[in-house]
Amino acid sequence: NVVVEAQDLVKDYNGFRAVNGVSFSVAQGEIFGLLGPNGAGKTTTILMLLGMTEPTSGVVRICGYDPTKEPLKVKRITGYLPENVGFYEDLTAKENLLYLAKLNGIKEDVALKKIDEVLATVGLLDVRDKLVGTYSKGMRQRLGLASVLIKDPKLVILDEPTTGIDPEGTEQVLDLIRRMSREMGVSILLSSHLLYQVQQVCDRVGIMFKGKMVAQGSIEDIGRQV
Ligand code: ADP
Ligand code: ADP
């Protein structure tokens, strides 16, 4: 039940080594945090897992698939929410999700049912017909999570999921991330530069610094290593 397998990943950009020998794995239903300061190599690592950039060397498997060889298979089982994802401000939440579902080739009648289900999961069902332009940052992020849940992903990858969100909204987003793991069995990989946040929500953590994973383990293990 290994969902993410990364072995000895290296990524060079014109001779600059952005990721330098990173290895880790994420099990089914596990929340794994990539922790590290800006420039540590977190986003580059995520892009290699998604098949959006090819590793210079090393191995990635997502549920056994190589993202550079079978990108569509990986895309089907993976939901990716980049930092500051955009929605159409002058459409409602429901209309935005319907648009995204159609882009993903989901039929309208199937999509409409699924949309209400995921909006209920993220606590936005009662405001589904409000324009996204009226949403707070926290509500937008929960809408982002709804948009990745539509395809019943096995793996969800979140880049800095609480940036710019107020404390109450942050709690709601973190709570939702926990429920996706505990109740839905989704594996989650999230990047953050905030230690306390990773401690609050992750089962295991990898600490990245200058392209290397300098420590890895449970929250308690990490406490002993640093
Ligand atoms: P993080 O997500 O931890 O902030 P990144 O993976 O974005 O780190 O960046 C790691 C390093 O690689 C940084 O020094 C960054 O400047 C560099 N880098 C990232 N993307 C590129 C790119 N496309 N071309 C050249 N250098 C890059
Ligand atoms: P596209 O139109 O390129 O098929 P989408 O509309 O599904 O992609 O998503 C918008 C962008 O988000 C894509 O260009 C891609 O960079 C990124 N993306 C979203 N989900 C994934 C995923 N699971 N794997 C790879 N890239 C993704």
Side-chain angles (χ1 to χ4, degrees), residues 13 16 18 37-44:
Y13 291 117
F16 171 72
N38 277 337
K42 305 183 297 294
T43 303
T44 304

Side-chain angles (χ1 to χ4, degrees), residues 40-199:
K42 305 183 297 294
T43 303
T44 304
T45 301
I46 285 174
L47 295 178
M48 289 190 281
L49 300 183
L50 292 169
M52 289 163 73
T53 189
E54 200 167 337
T56 302
S57 64
V59 174
V60 177
R61 292 289 181 273
I62 306 293
C63 293
Y65 297 115
D66 180 342
T68 57
K69 298 220 172 69
E70 297 184 276
L72 294 180
K73 290 245 164 67
V74 170
K75 204 164 174 174
R76 188 167 331 131
I77 54 184
T78 307
Y80 170 49
L81 199 56
E83 197 178 351
N84 295 317
V85 69
F87 289 102
Y88 292 102
E89 302 277 307
D90 52 354
L91 294 181
T92 67
K94 185 179 165 183
E95 288 165 346
N96 267 283
L97 291 185
L98 188 57
Y99 171 76
L100 288 173
K102 283 182 175 168
L103 280 188
N104 276 295
I106 303 173
K107 286 209 192 89
E108 177 150 346
D109 54 334
V110 178
L112 286 172
K113 249 188 234 150
K114 193 70 195 173
I115 285 168
D116 277 357
E117 188 189 312
V118 295
L119 283 172
T121 302
V122 303
L124 293 174
L125 190 57
D126 54 338
V127 289
R128 68 177 185 183
D129 296 318
K130 290 213 160 79
L131 299 184
V132 169
T134 68
Y135 272 30
S136 68
K137 278 217 82 174
M139 290 165 83
R140 282 160 204 253
Q141 188 64 352
R142 284 187 284 139
L143 183 58
L145 291 169
S147 75
V148 301
L149 287 176
I150 282 189
K151 58 179 176 183
D152 288 321
K154 290 193 194 308
L155 170 67
V156 168
I157 298 183
L158 307 169
D159 208 345
E160 300 279 358
T162 64
T163 300
I165 303 179
D166 65 38
E168 192 192 340
T170 294
E171 263 324 301
Q172 289 172 334
V173 167
L174 294 180
D175 188 53
L176 186 53
I177 291 172
R178 286 189 201 99
R179 280 168 45 217
M180 286 162 61
S181 141
R182 307 279 125 83
E183 294 168 21
M184 305 163 83
V186 177
S187 301
I188 294 168
L189 183 119
L190 68 85
S191 78
S192 177
H193 62 279
L194 303 170
L195 173 64
Y196 69 89
Q197 181 158 96
V198 160
Q199 284 176 323

